[in-house]
Amino acid sequence: MFHTGESGAPKRENHGTERLAFTCAAASGSVRAAHQAGDSAASPAGEPVADEHDRDIVAFRGLLAFTFVLFVRPQDQLPFLQVLHLADLTAIFALVALVGGRLGRGAPVIRLTPELILVLGLGAMMILTAPFSVWPGGAVGVFTDLYSKVILVFLLIVNTVTTRARFERLTQVVVLGTAYIGVRAVIDYARGVNLVEGGRVTGAVGGLFGNPNDMALNMVAFLPLALVLALDRSRPVVRTLALIGAPAIAAAIVFSKSRGGTVGLVVMLAVLLYRLRKIRPGVAGLVVAASLAALPLLPSTFVSRMSSIVNADEDPTGSREARKTLMREGLQAFFENPVLGVGAGQFKNYRPEYREEAWRETHNAVLQVAAELGIGGLLIFGGMIVVGFSGVSTVHRSIRTAWQTGRGQRAGPARGRREWFDLYATGMAASLTGWFVAAMFASVAYYWTLYVVLALAGSLREITLSQATNALPRPVQAEAA
């Protein structure tokens, strides 16, 4: 499963073909000259493009192993694996391989991207504000125990996912891991096991899927990528698994009965279908029809729980009012500590004697950052979201520019490759939207999901810019510069 060399693609494309990814202008003399010159061109990291398929392959395999452990958590099913600390082991192995490989060939140790700079900036805010928090040791612990690992894996993704084949492979591991949890959740719901709070299904493993709300949020974020894989005709086996997994993921969101997850699902699907209408209009119509057909099949308990969003009488647990109280308390904490916040992860410990909902999180990612890291952290966090969506827009603009300015045929392989970028950019936009909306109901600002999606979006942008630039004739490249 972890053999992830680019030979995993049906056919390894040579570099000339990659540079024709948008134009197919093989007959053009200017494009041919650009390709010859491009073989010795430097990548953004300052390394020869010719080695792109083989660079840092060991580190990339370590990243895949970590991702598998993060999502599937085999140690939950096989307790004897817990002593191995598989997540830490695979992440450290990948980092050592990355640093060793780059130092060995005299390359920069890491490649900084806008996303990575912002992620590092948020980590710096955690450390800088910790001495002024209500519990400095706890604030530092949030960084060392969780966020430092997020930085490490983010760094690995943006520095090793540098080709289309690697991007596809990592996406496949993420989707198949999510689908595995989704299928198990559907089976558990049917069997009546792993249920909490009056029939809400929770994940069969801990970590990302440890409770119904977390499970729903993560599945909302990764469902668009499952749908993209289901639309990819190039890998029949993966496509079949995605066609099975995508409905299971959607069903698991419903069976979790998470209000935030459901709102995120609806908004995410709206964005996905809006963008798909130009790429695969028939698919967009099919998804709408399937969604409408599924409405009468929804459990009555799901419908009554969703109605509590607007009707407090339908919420016997009182969680709706508790969330509103926490929002007010989160805003108050921010206004009382606008510069330095109360410390990463420390809102739950802030002035419990004066709060109605003491010892609880904000249940809103934006408020979480504002209250805990102050205005500086909030600006950095907002910048992450903006850069993520901007990167997706860059993908669409780049392929459109390369397509419009290229000469020669605009059919066959070139059309297929343009659709590939369009589909994945659409999936990433929907994933970011789904996460952001669902995160308005969860304290997940420092947790894995956002950073996996953000790193994938940044990697897709860098891959697109590299291929789109190499696809253009030299005069067009000069004008763009």
Side-chain angles (χ1 to χ4, degrees), residues 404-415:
Q404 291 173 348
T405 57
R407 300 183 178 90
Q409 301 178 13
R410 293 192 174 98
R415 185 178 298 278

Side-chain angles (χ1 to χ4, degrees), residues 431-463:
S431 290
L432 285 167
T433 301
W435 181 89
F436 185 77
V437 174
M440 293 300 97
F441 307 91
S443 299
V444 291
Y446 317 134
Y447 212 56
W448 294 101
T449 312
L450 168 64
Y451 302 95
V452 171
V453 174
L454 188 64
L456 283 172
S459 294
L460 182 63
R461 182 197 63 235
E462 296 301 313
I463 294 168

